[in-house]
Amino acid sequence: MDFSDSQLERYSRHIILQGVGVEGQIKISKAKVLVIGAGGLGSPALLYLAAAGLGTIGIVDGDVVDLSNLQRQVIHFTKDVGRSKVLSAKEKIIGLNPDVNVITYEKMITATDIIGIISQYDFIIDGTDNFPAKFLVNDACIFAGKPFSHAGILKFFGQTITILPGKTTCYRCIFHEPPPLNAVPSCSQAGVIGVIAGILGTLQANEAIKFILGKGDLITNRLLTFDALASKFRNLSLEKNPECPVCGDNPVITELLDYEQAACKIENSK
């Protein structure tokens, strides 16, 4: 593909970068990434993917912008309160980079439709904020063979891991099933420092770009954690669990399930 003069200028810092260049920028411009959740994690991921010139970005979120979201969900502005998150996010992406094709799914992801959606994309970013959604994303990506980035944040802490189905540790290798209802507080109950969403969401965007370029070491077979109070990253080494109920040697989970959501109010995405 040929870049226009304005595109060559826009992506010049990638094009002159050893390891990316024109070839790498072409890969980015042809890639398709789905971001599930246009909230705290999804916001920085969406902005950096758009800035990088990603060819197609899909956004899944059924929620509307709430005033309390603005402390960390930086893709949304005060004027967007009450608006659909996916439409608000699309507006900012197009404003930042009109080269990007944005596909919106104004809905909550479910076991019925997730496979059909993720099958259209090269890489998935899980920006959800509740355990039922995270287990659903993991299982669907394993079934569909789609690489994805998981991340979670709460209070002053965050964690992330990238999963390559059939090759690396998956989310269920570490956590077999969702915790009991109300066993773990949500961000709306316990709070979250806003900037940690930016740190973890940006790491997720970086994983997507590295995967597309085929460069560097992905965060696989290790859980990367971040403590915002101590300003410390830690790597927890992991191994693929042969007894994992979804990706192990004898999987017992063979179909997708919609787990019960917590009874308390939980935001759709961080």
Side-chain angles (χ1 to χ4, degrees), residues 221-236:
N221 293 323
R222 57 191 172 106
L223 189 68
L224 179 64
T225 66
F226 180 67
D227 180 339
L229 291 178
S231 295
K232 287 184 178 180
F233 284 99
R234 293 183 60 191
N235 276 295
L236 175 63

Side-chain angles (χ1 to χ4, degrees), residues 36-37 41 60-63 85 108-110 126-138 150-154 159 171 177-182 184-189 257-270:
I36 304 178
L41 294 168
V60 183
D61 202 312
D63 207 354
K85 284 188 178 180
M108 307 291 282
I109 204 77
T110 68
D126 173 13
T128 64
D129 79 338
N130 62 83
F131 289 108
K134 291 191 177 300
F135 279 90
L136 177 60
V137 171
N138 178 82
H150 152 81
I153 58 174
L154 186 66
Q159 65 180 33
Y171 188 65
E177 59 185 19
L181 296 181
N182 297 320
V184 179
S186 67
C187 289
S188 61
Q189 294 172 306
L257 299 173
D258 286 317
Y259 288 96
E260 184 179 356
Q261 296 281 354
C264 62
K265 180 182 182 297
I266 292 184
E267 298 167 1
N268 180 56
S269 51
K270 294 192 185 77

Side-chain angles (χ1 to χ4, degrees), residues 109-120 139-144 146 256:
I109 204 77
T110 68
T112 301
D113 57 24
I114 187 171
I115 293 290
I117 294 174
I118 67 174
S119 64
Q120 304 172 58
D139 296 353
C141 286
I142 297 299
F143 289 170
K146 292 294 180 179
L256 297 177

Side-chain angles (χ1 to χ4, degrees), residues 90-263:
K90 179 177 180 178
E91 178 183 83
K92 310 311 185 308
I93 290 170
I94 299 302
L96 175 62
N97 190 349
D99 290 346
V100 180
N101 175 38
V102 183
I103 301 174
T104 58
Y105 305 87
E106 193 173 349
K107 60 187 300 178
M108 307 291 282
I109 204 77
T110 68
T112 301
D113 57 24
I114 187 171
I115 293 290
I117 294 174
I118 67 174
S119 64
Q120 304 172 58
Y121 295 87
D122 304 313
F123 191 90
I124 314 300
I125 289 180
D126 173 13
T128 64
D129 79 338
N130 62 83
F131 289 108
K134 291 191 177 300
F135 279 90
L136 177 60
V137 171
N138 178 82
D139 296 353
C141 286
I142 297 299
F143 289 170
K146 292 294 180 179
F148 74 101
S149 168
H150 152 81
I153 58 174
L154 186 66
K155 298 182 180 178
F156 294 93
F157 306 97
Q159 65 180 33
T160 186
I161 185 173
T162 296
I163 291 93
L164 304 179
K167 299 178 181 179
T168 69
T169 306
C170 86
Y171 188 65
R172 275 197 195 265
C173 287
I174 313 167
F175 311 105
H176 288 314
E177 59 185 19
L181 296 181
N182 297 320
V184 179
S186 67
C187 289
S188 61
Q189 294 172 306
V192 62
I193 193 73
V195 295
I196 202 166
I199 294 167
L200 271 295
T202 302
L203 284 171
Q204 289 185 283
N206 190 51
E207 289 295 282
I209 292 172
K210 287 192 299 179
F211 176 81
I212 292 163
L213 293 174
K215 299 289 184 181
D217 297 322
L218 297 171
I219 307 172
T220 54
N221 293 323
R222 57 191 172 106
L223 189 68
L224 179 64
T225 66
F226 180 67
D227 180 339
L229 291 178
S231 295
K232 287 184 178 180
F233 284 99
R234 293 183 60 191
N235 276 295
L236 175 63
S237 295
L238 302 166
E239 294 183 357
K240 194 172 182 296
N241 183 359
E243 298 182 0
C244 175
V246 72
C247 78
D249 296 336
N250 298 291
V252 295
I253 296 175
T254 57
E255 61 181 20
L256 297 177
L257 299 173
D258 286 317
Y259 288 96
E260 184 179 356
Q261 296 281 354

